[in-house]
Amino acid sequence: MAALTERADAALTRLYSLGDQVTADQRAQVAELIATARINAIDAGLAVTAGIFDLTGARSTATAYGLDRFWRNQRCYR
């Protein structure tokens, strides 16, 4: 996942360095890389939070523990 994020970051940096010479195709390619990195990060976060709840049980979703907000926040980004 980190490699994909770094690749998207490098592509965006290259795109910004082109200034006014950026084409629509170049913007689309970078947007696709960023979207792919975002989806992978969200999927990883969902897998981690689901694993936490699998290990800790249903009661860990109680607001007293504060774990529910991480799962909810991950679900909202999808």
Side-chain angles (χ1 to χ4, degrees):
M1 182 176 66
L4 185 57
T5 304
E6 290 171 7
R7 185 174 161 208
D9 178 51
L12 184 61
T13 301
R14 279 192 308 275
L15 190 73
Y16 275 126
S17 71
L18 294 176
D20 293 338
Q21 299 173 353
V22 176
T23 66
D25 284 341
Q26 289 170 322
R27 283 194 311 266
Q29 289 173 356
V30 171
E32 185 177 341
L33 275 173
I34 291 170
T36 302
R38 180 177 181 261
I39 289 169
N40 277 343
I42 292 168
D43 287 346
L46 287 172
V48 167
T49 54
I52 289 170
F53 288 126
D54 285 345
L55 292 173
T56 58
R59 290 190 184 253
S60 65
T61 61
T63 54
Y65 301 111
L67 295 175
D68 61 316
R69 71 182 177 117
F70 296 107
W71 180 79
R72 184 182 59 246
N73 289 346
Q74 281 298 125
R75 297 284 301 165
C76 290
Y77 288 119
R78 185 69 169 159

